[in-house]
Amino acid sequence: MEAAGTEPRRLSPGLLGRRLLSGGVWVLGGKVFIAASGLLSGALLARLLSPRELGAYFLVYSLVLFGSMLGSLGLQGAATRLVAQSLGLGLYGRARFVVRVALALGTLGALAAAATYLSLGGTLAGLFHTPALAASAGLVAGWIAVSVVQGLLGEIFRGLNEVRLATLLGGQVTGTVTGVLTVGLLVAGLGLLWLLRGEADLATVLALAVCAGASTTLVSGWLLGRRMARLPEGGAGRELPPVFGEVVATAWPLLVTNLVLFTLRNGDLWLLGAFASREEVAVYGAATRLISMVTMPLIVANAILPPVIAGLYAQGRREELERTVRATSAMTGLPALLASAACVLFAAPILGLVYGDYYRAGALALAVLSVGQLVSVWTGSCGLALQMTGHQRTMMAVSLATGAATLAAMFVLVVPYGIAGVVAARVAGLVLQNLLLWLAARYRTGMWTHAGFGALLRSVRGTG
């Protein structure tokens, strides 16, 4: 048990509002930087690599994200929830044990995922008709291993309410392990390549990505050690076994859910990789990368809400939690609507400006996908609410059902209709999934998560 004298930290509404505002500013600034840098890196890659090589890069990147998600074993969400819950209840020793268990399991997962890719690189190269997947197997495996550890460290910082460090160093709550520091290093490297050589091959680009991620991971590990040393003492060694079991029990449904969601988001690219040309993959990949303009507000919300949801729910403050979640959804809904409108009305010019005229062919895909993502933003952080309140199995069940149906539809439509068929199936599946998660969050937690402008006004008055 914890040492006597540790007390839960109860946040007043004003302090909670200021914490959300402060975290939101950091996350928004970081995500704006990452989005702008992502556009810049995409533009540089489109000029350094041929369309065929760029299509191969998009495939590699999606496989790296999948491998890192598989290797993380669902530990990111588990660590965020259990660390934040422990701090909210004043159980500092338990929080320390959660971090140790998560890092130990995450390291094993990273090594296993990297080894798995090394053994399957040749098979994947044949499946996607992309020899580079086998030729660069060592670099891809290294990128996967680094990404697992980097994402886990970032989510531990988020659970510790260190939103600033999670933003700077990375985390996987958004489906990517990319942080501000990693993106900055990668863009700087690509910029130097473009200025000095004007072209590059895929192996050089992958080597830059591995070096950027490894540098960030080393900095993250050092800073986490310093942060953990400042936690108050408490807890006994006998707590370790139950903490281990709780971490595992929380993580495995999240792993299944994350893999299904990731496959749903990237199955379209994989199917096109198997049944279409690398050039078509490049065009579609360029369109999907710009979707971040619509989802960025929700990404910001999902980066600051996990410790808040876990902490308030553990303390039984349900009405306050619902008001906070719905107010945050309202704040994210309006900018997402504007971004979606821009993607619909100016899809071709935006693609041409960022990637070049060759990629304007992805305009229809960008427009339709942006509408589907808008639904995700307006239903709010419903999936996150389920994860952070102990209902991860409900989210897993919904994700499995909708993910399987969506992938089946994409598989049926990819050959006769190509990109258009894949986009239609993906958007329909995305809308269905978010509506079901929205209803499931209400049923399991008693809270609505969609945008609530009345809740936003009350929160603003309370903060003021």
Side-chain angles (χ1 to χ4, degrees):
M1 300 297 292
E2 293 293 336
T6 55
E7 296 291 340
R9 298 184 303 173
R10 297 184 64 87
L11 300 176
S12 66
L15 181 58
L16 175 60
R18 288 192 294 273
R19 175 171 291 182
L20 287 172
L21 179 61
S22 174
V25 168
W26 268 102
V27 174
L28 179 60
K31 296 305 177 184
V32 168
F33 177 85
I34 289 173
S37 299
L39 293 177
L40 179 57
S41 67
L44 289 170
L45 286 169
R47 288 154 179 81
L48 288 168
L49 303 174
S50 67
R52 187 173 183 82
E53 282 188 311
L54 185 60
Y57 174 82
F58 286 144
L59 283 172
V60 167
Y61 185 71
S62 69
L63 290 172
V64 167
L65 289 181
F66 180 82
S68 63
M69 191 167 292
L70 181 63
S72 67
L73 307 176
L75 293 165
Q76 297 96 338
T80 303
R81 177 195 161 202
L82 295 176
V83 169
Q85 182 187 75
S86 300
L87 295 185
L89 297 173
L91 305 177
Y92 303 109
R94 179 172 177 265
R96 188 176 289 106
F97 281 135
V98 169
V99 171
R100 292 173 183 171
V101 170
L103 288 177
L105 293 176
T107 301
L108 293 176
L111 296 175
T116 299
Y117 184 85
L118 285 174
S119 66
L120 295 178
T123 302
L124 292 172
L127 176 63
F128 294 118
H129 316 293
T130 307
L133 295 180
S136 303
L139 289 171
V140 177
W143 195 2
I144 289 172
V146 167
S147 297
V148 171
V149 180
Q150 183 183 355
L152 180 56
L153 290 170
E155 291 311 300
I156 290 173
F157 279 123
R158 202 178 312 281
L160 291 167
N161 250 316
E162 295 284 358
V163 176
R164 173 176 57 91
L165 291 177
T167 302
L168 292 173
L169 302 173
Q172 213 158 4
V173 74
T174 64
T176 177
V177 295
T178 307
V180 168
L181 180 58
T182 303
V183 171
L185 291 173
L186 180 58
V187 170
L190 292 174
L192 283 175
L193 274 177
W194 183 59
L195 290 173
L196 297 177
R197 295 174 53 185
E199 61 179 5
D201 56 26
L202 183 61
T204 302
V205 171
L206 294 180
L208 280 175
V210 174
C211 291
S215 300
T216 302
T217 301
L218 291 174
V219 173
S220 299
W222 177 69
L223 290 174
L224 180 61
R226 291 171 57 90
R227 177 65 178 83
M228 295 304 296
R230 297 201 303 270
L231 279 183
E233 291 298 327
R238 62 179 179 273
E239 290 190 1
L240 186 53
V243 166
F244 178 88
E246 190 170 6
V247 169
V248 173
T250 304
W252 78 262
L254 294 179
L255 172 62
V256 175
T257 300
N258 290 339
L259 290 176
V260 171
L261 292 176
F262 184 86
T263 303
L264 181 60
R265 287 192 295 264
N266 292 270
D268 46 4
L269 191 66
W270 295 344
L271 286 170
L272 288 171
F275 294 103
S277 67
R278 294 291 75 70
E279 289 78 9
E280 287 179 290
V281 173
V283 169
Y284 185 76
T288 57
R289 280 206 155 193
L290 290 177
I291 293 300
S292 61
M293 293 191 298
V294 179
T295 58
M296 186 194 302
L298 182 62
I299 290 173
V300 171
N302 286 347
I304 60 176
L305 282 177
V308 174
I309 294 174
L312 291 181
Y313 192 82
Q315 296 172 6
R317 299 157 68 181
R318 308 294 174 83
E319 292 184 6
E320 185 178 351
L321 176 56
E322 179 179 7
R323 185 169 63 251
T324 300
V325 171
R326 294 195 62 194
T328 306
S329 298
M331 286 190 290
T332 62
L334 291 178
L337 178 62
L338 295 176
S340 180
C343 288
V344 171
L345 297 175
F346 308 107
I350 291 173
L351 283 165
L353 176 65
V354 176
Y355 292 101
D357 289 338
Y358 181 87
Y359 297 91
R360 293 168 71 98
L364 179 61
L366 175 59
V368 177
L369 288 171
S370 70
V371 175
Q373 294 295 343
L374 183 62
V375 175
S376 300
V377 177
W378 277 78
T379 52
S381 303
C382 43
L384 191 66
L386 289 169
Q387 289 185 37
M388 294 294 118
T389 57
H391 298 99
Q392 57 270 14
R393 295 191 184 188
T394 299
M395 184 178 180
M396 178 183 70
V398 172
S399 300
L400 279 173
T402 56
T406 303
L407 288 173
M410 287 193 292
F411 182 78
V412 170
L413 297 175
V414 63
V415 173
Y417 299 105
I419 290 177
V422 167
V423 168
R426 175 174 171 174
V427 170
L430 181 65
V431 171
L432 176 62
Q433 180 188 65
N434 278 279
L435 290 177
L436 290 177
L437 288 175
W438 173 63
L439 293 173
R442 172 65 177 180
Y443 176 73
R444 289 296 188 187
T445 69
M447 301 184 301
W448 290 114
T449 61
H450 60 278
F453 291 96
L456 176 59
L457 290 175
R458 288 194 296 273
S459 295
V460 170
R461 294 193 188 104
T463 302

